[in-house]
Structure formats: structure tokens, C-alpha cells
Amino acid sequence: MEQTFLMVKPDGVQRNLIGEIVKRFESKGFQLVGAKLMTITPDLAEQHYAEHKERPFFGELVEFITSGPVFAMAWEGENVIAIAREMMGKTNPSEALPGTIRGDYGMTVGKNVIHGSDSPESANRELGLFFNNDELSSYTKQDTAWIY
Ligand code: IDP
């Protein structure tokens, strides 16, 4: 079963959106396998966003993502990486469709509420950056047979 890394960013935590966001992925049928409230260090932020190191907004991005606690999550399910990206909506909330998380709750690209891995490679890398193996639970939920 595929896994992805999702994270409620500091703006989402401050705006009391943790529950709403968890609810959307639970209701869809995905399974939570790990989660924690944490404050990202500058070092972890730079590793997480390494692909953007040369971009003009990199400093701003690192400053923002370390500015308060985030809610880091590992989710599991068929095709969860791509489907979670669809549920998040476009990077710029002004282009994100209503019904998506960014479309419903975001206003600017700098404060777009949620992060989600964009490929199996980044999911693997990001899960490894944020979680130790013993923080992820492998378990069978009773409703699985009613979802697949
Ligand atoms: P994604 O989060 O949808 O995968 P990426 O292109 O990987 O989008 O960008 C990472 C994050 O960097 C975005 O979620 C957004 O918060 C921030 N970002 C992207 N472009 C800009 C920009 O032009 N100005 C400020 N922040 C940006």
C-alpha cells in the first residue's frame, strides 16, 4: 500500500484546521499511520525544501515553515500520493478549485495551509526526514473491506 507525507503548515495549525484536514483524508478512506505536532528546525526545513534552494522565496519559505508548530502526518492508501495532491488543490490557493483544501481555506501561495509529497520518491524521502520507523504504525482497520 502506498504511503505519503502530509503536513498542516503553521498557518493551518494557527487557524484550527488540523481536525478539518485530518477528517477529509479519514473520510476519503485513507489510513493514518503516523502523526505529530512539532516545530521544524531551520536545518530540517532546508533539507525538506532542498529542491527550492535557488529560488528567490527560499529564505521566506524556511522562515515561514519554522515560525510555529506544524502537524506532520503519514497516510496510507491506494494511490494516496496523487489523490492527496488533488484533494489539496493547486499550489496557489487563488487557482485552487473550491472543494480542495487550498481552494477552501487558502488565500496566498506563501500561506497555503498544507504540504503533500508530489511523487513516490519525495514521499519516501520526506517520510524518512520526519518520522522514525517506530513512529509509524502498521495495522488493519475494520472498515478496509468496505472501502476497497
Ligand atoms: P507544492 O507545495 O504545491 O508542492 P512547490 O512548488 O513544491 O508547491 O512549492 C513549495 C512551497 O513553496 C509552496 O507550497 C508554497 O508555500 C511555497 N511557494 C511556492 N512558490 C512561491 C512563491 O512564488 N512565493 C512564495 N512562496 C512560494
Side-chain angles (χ1 to χ4, degrees):
M1 208 50 109
E2 193 173 79
Q3 292 189 346
T4 195
F5 174 69
L6 302 179
M7 171 169 73
V8 182
K9 293 184 179 183
D11 53 328
V13 173
Q14 293 294 331
R15 295 176 53 207
N16 308 308
L17 293 172
I18 294 175
E20 171 62 31
I21 288 169
V22 169
K23 179 172 172 286
R24 287 187 181 213
F25 292 104
E26 273 189 324
S27 302
K28 172 70 177 168
F30 293 126
Q31 184 167 327
L32 188 64
V33 294
K36 57 183 170 186
L37 188 77
M38 61 183 280
T39 302
I40 300 181
T41 61
D43 183 52
L44 177 57
E46 287 181 19
Q47 288 185 65
H48 174 64
Y49 283 127
E51 66 175 300
H52 298 301
K53 213 171 175 64
E54 306 306 326
R55 308 281 281 276
F57 57 85
F58 184 69
E60 201 182 309
L61 185 56
V62 169
E63 195 178 328
F64 171 65
I65 209 71
T66 59
S67 66
V70 300
F71 193 65
M73 300 170 283
W75 285 90
E76 188 173 277
E78 275 184 22
N79 217 9
V80 66
I81 299 170
I83 296 172
R85 293 281 299 184
E86 292 293 324
M87 291 170 66
M88 286 161 52
K90 288 195 174 171
T91 304
N92 188 340
S94 66
E95 295 169 3
L97 293 175
T100 65
I101 293 166
R102 287 165 169 170
D104 287 349
Y105 302 115
M107 291 290 277
T108 66
V109 73
K111 294 190 174 71
N112 61 2
V113 184
I114 184 167
H115 166 85
S117 307
D118 62 4
S119 66
E121 296 69 32
S122 56
N124 199 34
R125 190 181 77 87
E126 292 167 3
L127 286 169
L129 277 177
F130 282 84
F131 290 101
N132 295 321
N133 276 342
D134 64 3
E135 293 176 306
L136 301 179
S137 301
S138 180
Y139 62 109
T140 302
K141 278 178 68 184
Q142 296 305 312
D143 62 3
T144 304
W146 297 98
I147 291 171
Y148 294 104

